[in-house]
Amino acid sequence: MSEGSFSFSAGTSKAAGRNGAIGKALQSVSPADAEAWVWLSYDQLNLAFLESLELNNTGVVLIESSSKARRRPYHQQKLGVLLANQRHFAVELQEQGVPVLYLLSTETYADVLAEVSQTVGPLHCFHHAERELRKEVESLITSGALIEHAHPGWLTPQSWFVESVGVEPPFRMDAFYRKVRQQTGWMMENGKPVGGKYSFDAENRFPWKGDPPAPAPPVYDVDAIDREVEAMIGAVYGEHPGSVDLTTQPTSAEQVEASLRFALDCLPNFGTYEDAMSEKSRGLFHSRLATLVNLHRIMPARLVDAALTSSAPLNSVEGFVRQMIWREYVRHIHEVTDGFRTLEVERTPSRRGAGWEKFVENDDEPHPNHLIQTNPLPEAFWGKTSGLRCLDASVASVMEDGWTHHIPRLMVLSNIANLLDVNPRELTDWFHAGFIDAYDWVVEPNVLGMGTFALGTAMMTKPYVAGSAYINRMSDHCKSCQFHHKKTCPMTRLYWAYLNRHREAFAGNHRMAIALKNVARRAEEEKVLDSITFDHVRETLLAGRELRPSTDGDLRAWS
Ligand SMILES: Cc1cc2nc3c(=O)[nH]c(=O)nc-3n(C[C@H](O)[C@H](O)[C@H](O)COP(=O)(O)OP(=O)(O)OC[C@H]3O[C@@H](n4cnc5c(N)ncnc54)[C@H](O)[C@@H]3O)c2cc1C
Ligand code: SF4
């Protein structure tokens, strides 16, 4: 039962504390305070949603549901950022004269909304980005308790995706990207891309050696609302991974503006060092805005406009806008395939929850698993030391911040999981729980489609896998690692072992032809060592133990 929901007397619940910061900040409301009530979900925190309705005198219903928060072991920072932003948004709406009913509940959104709609009549809502939420409220839309409207936050209509990419795989970003550039005119002149080409990706792959200096991540003041959220997260969700520290995340409208200024300051160097990783600066020149954009505290269109009108060099602006278009692309794939359920692809049942089963309901659904990778996720992903510096540094970033930028996600965390044949659904569940910007529509395509090869060639032409040469070139991890990147590091042998194990699945894929030729040419003795390395690393990490270089510096000692 959601407290305060029917009397409308409190405007917030006892759980938040009528004397607490959010309780004090919000006025009591009654059903008559608005002609129409709109439910905005946790990821629709922007006045633009209300404005798109063109209704007079609308009130807003916002809900905190602990049943949702407990579905997964969401990182405490993720829960903190989301709830603090939602609470600040409630207060900001009220300051704009919008009546706000703020409900805390242990029940599902659907249960709370069904009860509220009995009091105020049908509630307006917007098509939800997350499938999980769409499914939850589907029957309320069918019954008329919710009136659904188009989501005003996307940059592109589905028709652009369907016209350029189609509804059947293979889905390819290039065609969609060109279509969006042509339709919008972004970085276009006389129908041609500014700078003579659509993508400047080739110029955006430099390692970072310390110059130009990377900015320190922004630090934000916390107010009473933030402190109340921090205390509540610690008390209620203390067993979830990580911890909450809202000095590192924007939560109020003013801080959201500051975070946008930070991102624009980073933009000139964003492109060049987009793929670099460093232990001296986890974020380098990345915007750190995905969380806010996914919550719609910043509308994607505003961010794109800000990038396009900035004075940053073209390789940065193009690189940044392309990422925002990639975001649209994954969202369309998610929608047209019903979260990949309509795709014909190899599937396996999977342990859900990546080792935190008590939080996640298991399901009977088989999940995409093109390469039939069935190993569980090693505890190293939850913070146990693996001895692989690149992995440990990236996991530390996830455990501490709930965040890494794109390349550690792709070329370290997913790469190592791939090389160990970790079940892709488990890895996805781990990303979903651990990252502050993760929601099903964005995390599933990124992990199942790009980070792993669980969808086969439906989204990517080949898997993103690499040995130590890539990590050594693009990061400073290897310099402080107990392994020597050429002599003792297991990564390259893991790479060869992966190619050899899955060679039949890759046969006929012309993008994999050279790699397969190279693995076929390897001496049998080397292949045996590759395989021994794989067994050793997998068994050691699955036993929760730390890897050590062999005493004589030779991988053969592992046998
Ligand atoms: C395995 C894997 C899992 C990922 N999971 C998520 C996720 O759960 N949520 C999420 O928002 N992004 C995810 N991404 C995409 C990307 O890594 C993050 O959006 C980005 O690292 C967030 O950092 P940032 O805000 O500094 O973004 P920047 O690097 O500054 O990029 C600018 C903006 O582009 C958008 N963007 C960039 N790349 C992508 C992408 N691949 N998909 C969607 N949007 C993108 C983001 O909104 C971001 O704010 C994932 C990528 C990989 C490889
Ligand atoms: S040496 Fe190998 S394990 Fe160590 S950081 Fe480099 S790639 Fe990672």
Side-chain angles (χ1 to χ4, degrees):
M1 177 69 66
S2 48
E3 298 171 52
S5 57
F6 301 110
S7 69
F8 276 71
S9 58
T12 183
S13 76
K14 213 165 67 192
R18 284 187 200 176
N19 297 322
I22 186 69
K24 276 187 193 150
L26 291 178
Q27 292 156 9
S28 296
V29 287
S30 75
D33 286 343
E35 282 169 35
W37 287 89
V38 182
W39 166 49
L40 293 179
S41 60
Y42 47 82
D43 57 353
Q44 298 175 342
L45 306 181
N46 202 297
L47 194 59
F49 283 82
L50 280 195
E51 288 166 351
S52 74
L53 282 182
E54 296 180 2
L55 290 173
N56 291 326
N57 191 12
T58 41
V60 166
V61 178
L62 292 164
I63 303 167
E64 288 183 18
S65 153
S66 59
S67 114
K68 168 84 174 177
R70 289 187 194 286
R71 270 183 70 86
R72 297 187 176 77
Y74 289 118
H75 196 296
Q76 293 185 40
Q77 183 75 336
K78 177 177 189 178
L79 294 173
V81 173
L82 188 153
L83 296 178
N85 268 288
Q86 183 169 292
R87 289 184 183 195
H88 277 282
F89 176 61
V91 176
E92 290 153 17
L93 279 178
Q94 184 177 271
E95 283 166 3
Q96 304 264 343
V98 178
V100 177
L101 177 64
Y102 199 96
L103 300 172
L104 310 190
S105 179
T106 54
E107 294 177 10
T108 64
Y109 292 104
D111 287 341
V112 179
L113 290 163
E115 292 180 29
V116 175
S117 68
Q118 281 171 15
T119 308
V120 297
L123 289 154
H124 297 269
C125 72
F126 296 89
H127 188 72
H128 292 102
E130 281 209 284
R131 183 183 185 275
E132 195 166 290
L133 193 53
R134 286 201 297 276
K135 289 286 151 199
E136 193 180 319
V137 300
E138 200 169 54
S139 63
L140 294 177
I141 294 171
T142 313
S143 72
L146 288 179
I147 304 164
E148 191 185 58
H149 300 270
H151 187 299
W154 300 109
L155 299 168
T156 58
Q158 197 177 81
S159 58
W160 292 4
F161 178 87
V162 174
E163 284 158 24
S164 58
V165 179
V167 290
E168 296 291 337
F171 303 115
R172 294 291 176 256
M173 164 70 173
D174 279 2
F176 179 64
Y177 182 57
R178 277 197 295 274
K179 171 89 176 171
V180 178
R181 293 273 300 269
Q182 285 155 8
Q183 291 289 135
T184 56
W186 294 337
M187 296 170 288
M188 298 292 285
E189 230 166 39
N190 304 322
K192 298 241 158 31
V194 174
K197 52 188 176 182
Y198 277 101
S199 168
F200 288 81
D201 212 18
E203 292 164 37
N204 288 0
R205 292 180 186 143
F206 285 87
W208 181 72
K209 307 282 184 197
D211 185 31
V219 178
Y220 302 97
D221 290 337
V222 288
D223 65 7
I225 290 180
D226 298 321
R227 278 193 293 276
E228 188 165 81
V229 169
E230 286 181 337
M232 186 272 284
I233 300 288
V236 181
Y237 304 105
E239 59 190 336
H240 285 225
S243 57
V244 57
D245 174 7
L246 296 177
T247 62
T248 63
Q249 290 294 330
T251 59
S252 66
E254 201 181 306
Q255 293 177 352
V256 167
E257 293 303 310
S259 71
L260 181 57
R261 288 194 293 277
F262 171 83
L264 290 173
D265 287 346
C266 290
L267 190 59
N269 292 309
F270 170 83
T272 309
Y273 304 107
E274 195 177 346
D275 285 3
M277 298 176 275
S278 174
E279 294 184 18
K280 294 189 186 77
S281 168
R282 284 176 176 168
L284 286 168
F285 303 97
H286 289 266
S287 70
R288 296 173 177 265
L289 287 183
T291 311
L292 292 184
V293 180
N294 293 348
L295 294 176
H296 289 92
R297 287 292 267 163
I298 295 181
M299 294 299 264
R302 177 156 183 231
L303 191 50
V304 169
D305 279 351
L308 290 172
T309 54
S310 76
S311 54
L314 185 57
N315 68 315
S316 279
V317 176
E318 189 279 318
F320 191 86
V321 172
R322 183 148 36 85
Q323 301 295 33
M324 293 301 290
I325 295 175
W326 177 270
R327 182 177 176 275
E328 298 281 314
Y329 169 70
V330 297
R331 170 256 167 168
H332 288 305
I333 292 180
H334 163 85
E335 282 253 358
V336 301
T337 64
D338 191 24
F340 303 126
R341 281 160 186 83
T342 63
L343 273 195
E344 278 184 34
V345 59
E346 293 285 353
R347 290 170 189 269
T348 56
S350 304
R351 180 179 77 146
R352 298 301 306 269
W356 289 67
E357 284 98 339
K358 65 178 169 165
F359 285 94
V360 181
E361 297 151 25
N362 265 305
D363 59 29
D364 301 326
E365 272 188 81
H367 295 275
N369 195 350
H370 178 69
L371 299 177
I372 316 291
Q373 298 173 294
T374 54
N375 285 323
L377 191 77
E379 284 175 70
F381 280 75
W382 291 111
K384 201 152 197 178
T385 310
S386 72
L388 304 170
R389 179 85 184 194
C390 49
L391 178 61
D392 293 337
S394 303
V395 169
S397 176
V398 181
M399 289 300 123
E400 286 162 27
D401 305 336
W403 183 85
T404 71
H405 74 70
H406 190 75
I407 299 302
R409 296 187 204 202
L410 187 64
M411 298 310 294
V412 177
L413 298 164
S414 302
N415 182 27
I416 292 177
N418 280 324
L419 299 184
L420 294 175
D421 270 351
V422 169
N423 182 304
R425 182 72 247 180
E426 274 204 34
L427 183 70
T428 310
D429 284 349
W430 176 79
F431 267 103
H432 198 161
F435 282 75
I436 54 173
D437 50 32
Y439 297 91
D440 64 11
W441 64 270
V442 59
V443 77
E444 291 184 353
N446 271 305
V447 185
L448 296 171
M450 178 164 58
T452 67
F453 205 51
L455 306 179
T457 53
M459 251 183 87
M460 310 304 295
T461 52
K462 65 182 185 66
Y464 277 101
V465 278
S468 59
Y470 179 89
I471 293 172
N472 184 49
R473 186 168 70 250
M474 295 309 296
S475 80
D476 50 16
H477 295 310
C478 302
K479 285 195 179 73
S480 334
C481 185
Q482 59 174 338
F483 293 98
H484 185 278
H485 68 96
K486 275 193 179 147
K487 293 182 192 151
T488 56
C489 172
M491 293 285 287
T492 304
R493 281 198 185 275
L494 290 179
Y495 167 78
W496 290 121
Y498 168 92
L499 289 178
N500 203 23
R501 275 196 315 282
H502 298 298
R503 62 186 182 282
E504 280 173 24
F506 297 136
N509 180 335
H510 72 276
R511 296 289 313 276
M512 295 299 285
I514 295 174
L516 289 184
K517 231 181 236 169
N518 289 340
V519 80
R521 274 200 214 114
R522 270 173 93 69
E524 281 310 309
E525 192 201 23
E526 295 298 316
K527 286 188 195 166
V528 170
L529 287 172
D530 297 340
S531 172
I532 288 169
T533 304
F534 169 67
D535 288 340
H536 174 77
V537 174
R538 182 191 54 180
E539 280 157 25
T540 306
L541 294 185
L542 286 184
R545 292 198 310 271
E546 194 175 329
L547 289 158
R548 295 255 174 243
S550 57
T551 41
D552 61 1
D554 185 343
L555 284 174
R556 277 154 229 260
W558 282 352
S559 59

